[in-house]
């Protein structure tokens, strides 16, 4: 029987490789980004339990090993979450949902997942499913997001009396909130499409479709199709000009390079684990790869401001670094007005307090939408 997690469903509709017997030996190492995501989720869980923004002192005490700056970012972002939640609705956090389809072993598959939050309106009229995305890349809208579709399919089976569901995704780093409403009929259609796709998977389990999505596949380090796609570019002579490649070759190489970097990060994570568990790894030239601890100290502004003001006086500005985003957020919180950030920026620009310095950045990002062709979701 194929066992699925909701987080795998977006890949299910793009490639069948992770269900191939040949690729069943996968690697799963927790990255720094994943650890940061776990931290944000935990802070949001604490906030939802009390329905108020958690205090820094409480969070620092509960998470002594976490980065105070990251804790503060998450705590500030959670205040924005509260504005989108109905305070009178009952809620449950990270409840495990599960469903098994089919009786015949050759057609069976199971699905499980933990939605970040389930909310229930009075009289079972409405239900809500909420999901936090703590990275910087935008993902599929709730109307087309198969991870949240999976939660929705199971929630409908667990809570059949609820006739209307709303699914929302919140990007705390981007301060972006997206939602979509589903009828029971639409949910049944999604379930039928998933069952249909799982039937296709069984006949496509050796049909691979490499692409940027390989970054999120646990079989990326052993996938023959992916390796066959990117190997020629790494084997090519260094003098080969990138400009001579076709647009399709450039796209394939760039996507493959991003995945190759992820594979290297996996391997680096494994080496780190070895060093932590078994001790230093000897290298040539009198060197070794080792694991050790260093103490890093950071000032938490929320707890240090009064002391800094008293001790630094007129020179406080020399000691404090202020980001544009944090200043805008603080202005909005101060007067509870979403336009306060723009007003603040206009005043700072007028005072010459924000010098402009152009920089060039390269990386994977979402394609910027043509404003004249925006869809109904405003993406």
């Amino acid at each position: 029987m194929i066992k699925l997690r909701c987080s795998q469903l977006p890949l299910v509709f793009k490639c069948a490789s992770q269900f191939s017997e040949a690729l069943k030996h996968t690697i799963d190492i927790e990255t720094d980004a994943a650890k940061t995501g776990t931290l944000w989720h935990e802070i949001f869980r604490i906030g939802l339990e009390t329905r108020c923004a958690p205090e820094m002192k409480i969070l620092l005490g509960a998470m002594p090993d976490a980065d105070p700056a990251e804790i503060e970012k998450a705590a500030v972002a959670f205040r924005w979450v509260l504005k989108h939640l109905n305070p009178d609705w009952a809620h449950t956090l990270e409840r495990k949902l599960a469903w098994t389809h089919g009786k015949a072993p050759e057609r069976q598959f199971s699905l499980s997942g933990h939605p970040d939050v389930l909310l229930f309106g009075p009289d079972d009229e409405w239900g809500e499913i909420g999901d936090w995305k703590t990275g910087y890349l935008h993902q599929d809208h709730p109307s087309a997001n198969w991870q949240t579709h999976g939660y929705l399919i199971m929630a409908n089976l667990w809570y059949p009396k609820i006739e209307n569901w709303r699914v929302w995704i919140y990007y705390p780093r981007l301060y972006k909130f997206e939602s979509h409403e589903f009828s029971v009929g639409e949910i049944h259609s999604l379930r039928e499409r998933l069952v249909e796709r799982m039937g296709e998977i069984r006949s496509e389990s050796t049909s691979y479709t490499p692409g940027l999505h390989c970054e999120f596949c646990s079989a990326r380090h052993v996938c023959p199709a992916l390796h066959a796609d990117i190997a020629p570019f790494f084997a090519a002579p260094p003098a080969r000009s990138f400009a001579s490649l076709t647009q399709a070759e450039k796209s394939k190489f760039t996507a493959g390079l991003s995945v190759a970097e992820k594979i290297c990060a996996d391997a680096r994570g494994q080496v780190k684990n070895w060093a932590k568990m078994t001790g230093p790894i000897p290298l040539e030239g009198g060197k070794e790869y080792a694991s050790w601890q260093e103490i890093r100290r950071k000032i938490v502004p929320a707890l240090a401001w009064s002391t800094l003001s008293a001790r630094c006086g007129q020179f406080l500005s020399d000691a404090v670094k202020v980001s544009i985003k944090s200043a805008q957020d603080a202005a909005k919180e101060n007067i509870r007005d979403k336009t306060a950030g723009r007003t603040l920026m206009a005043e700072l620009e007028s005072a010459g307090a924000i010098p402009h310095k152009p920089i060039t950045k390269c990386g994977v990002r979402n394609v910027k939408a043509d404003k004249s062709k925006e869809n109904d979701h405003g993406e």
Side-chain angles (χ1 to χ4, degrees):
M1 180 173 69
I2 294 177
K3 295 181 179 181
L4 290 170
R5 299 189 305 274
C6 287
S7 58
Q8 292 177 296
L9 289 184
L11 282 172
V12 165
F13 284 84
K14 291 183 177 179
C15 183
S17 67
Q18 59 187 315
F19 304 107
S20 167
E21 280 296 306
L23 306 186
K24 65 181 179 181
H25 300 294
T26 59
I27 189 170
D28 190 11
I29 294 175
E30 187 178 30
T31 63
D32 290 340
K35 292 177 181 177
T36 299
T38 300
L39 172 67
W40 280 62
H41 277 70
E42 177 62 13
I43 290 172
F44 282 21
R45 183 191 64 78
I46 293 172
L48 278 173
E49 285 182 345
T50 60
R51 289 297 180 100
C52 64
E55 296 182 9
M56 280 297 295
K57 285 185 178 180
I58 295 175
L59 294 176
L60 290 170
M63 307 170 182
D65 297 328
D67 181 356
E70 203 65 44
I71 290 178
E72 189 168 27
K73 289 178 188 176
V76 170
F78 181 75
R79 297 173 193 162
W80 201 80
V81 175
L82 293 176
K83 301 175 184 178
H84 291 271
L85 299 183
N86 191 318
D88 299 325
W89 284 25
H91 71 270
T92 180
L93 307 176
E94 298 182 1
R95 168 167 290 180
K96 181 177 181 179
L97 302 177
W99 167 54
T100 300
H101 173 80
K103 295 182 179 180
E106 67 274 9
R107 296 186 59 82
Q108 261 192 340
F109 70 88
S110 67
L111 180 65
S112 64
H114 297 75
D116 291 325
V117 59
L118 286 169
L119 293 150
F120 305 99
D123 302 321
D124 292 329
E125 183 178 354
W126 275 95
E128 286 192 2
I129 294 172
D131 193 38
W132 325 120
K133 297 298 182 187
T134 57
Y136 289 96
L137 282 181
H138 180 265
Q139 299 187 23
D140 290 334
H141 189 274
S143 61
N145 188 298
W146 268 101
Q147 179 177 352
T148 53
H149 284 357
Y151 298 144
L152 186 63
I153 289 168
M154 293 187 293
N156 172 242
L157 294 170
W158 278 54
Y159 307 100
K161 292 183 179 180
I162 297 177
E163 297 183 357
N164 300 284
W165 285 91
R166 181 183 297 109
V167 177
W168 49 262
I169 298 176
Y170 170 47
Y171 299 85
R173 292 186 186 275
L174 306 177
Y175 285 81
K176 188 171 186 176
F177 185 93
E178 297 178 330
S179 66
H180 189 77
E181 296 175 2
F182 294 85
S183 66
V184 170
E186 289 173 317
I187 298 172
H188 290 172
S189 296
L190 290 174
R191 188 169 71 212
E192 291 170 2
R193 175 63 187 116
L194 177 58
V195 171
E196 179 185 33
R197 177 57 182 159
M198 291 312 297
E200 296 168 355
I201 286 287
R202 295 180 187 279
S203 61
E204 297 176 5
S205 60
T206 56
S207 177
Y208 309 137
T209 312
L212 201 57
H213 53 270
C214 296
E215 284 190 49
F216 308 101
C217 179
S218 57
R220 57 186 173 268
H221 67 299
V222 291
C223 178
L226 170 65
H227 295 183
D229 264 5
I230 64 178
F233 297 104
F234 290 103
R240 182 180 182 185
S241 172
F242 189 71
S244 68
L245 302 179
T246 65
Q247 194 63 40
E249 287 176 323
K250 289 178 182 177
S251 296
K252 182 179 289 188
F253 175 75
T254 303
L257 184 60
S258 293
V259 181
E261 289 171 342
K262 189 70 175 285
I263 294 173
C264 290
D266 292 338
R268 177 67 67 184
Q270 188 63 64
V271 171
K272 287 182 178 179
N273 287 341
W274 290 341
K276 290 177 181 177
M277 293 186 295
T278 63
I281 301 171
L283 303 173
E284 62 182 17
K287 295 179 174 59
E288 64 181 11
Y289 186 94
S291 172
W292 67 91
Q293 286 190 334
E294 294 180 350
I295 303 299
R296 293 185 178 180
R297 301 187 300 170
K298 290 185 177 180
I299 293 176
V300 181
L303 303 179
W305 195 256
S306 60
T307 302
L308 288 172
S309 298
R311 293 294 182 182
C312 299
Q314 62 179 326
F315 299 103
L316 180 59
S317 60
D318 295 333
V320 177
K321 292 183 179 180
V322 182
S323 72
I324 289 177
K325 188 173 185 303
S326 63
Q328 289 177 310
D329 294 340
K332 293 175 187 176
E333 284 294 318
N334 186 44
I335 62 173
R336 300 288 178 177
D337 184 348
K338 64 181 181 181
T339 65
R342 291 194 293 271
T343 302
L344 171 67
M345 290 299 296
E347 293 177 355
L348 292 175
E349 291 274 10
S350 178
I354 306 180
H356 291 200
K357 179 182 179 181
I359 60 173
T360 301
K361 300 180 72 173
C362 290
V364 178
R365 69 175 187 182
N366 298 305
V367 176
K368 293 185 177 180
D370 184 341
K371 293 294 183 180
S372 64
K373 300 179 181 179
E374 278 192 343
N375 60 28
D376 293 338
H377 305 131
E379 295 177 332

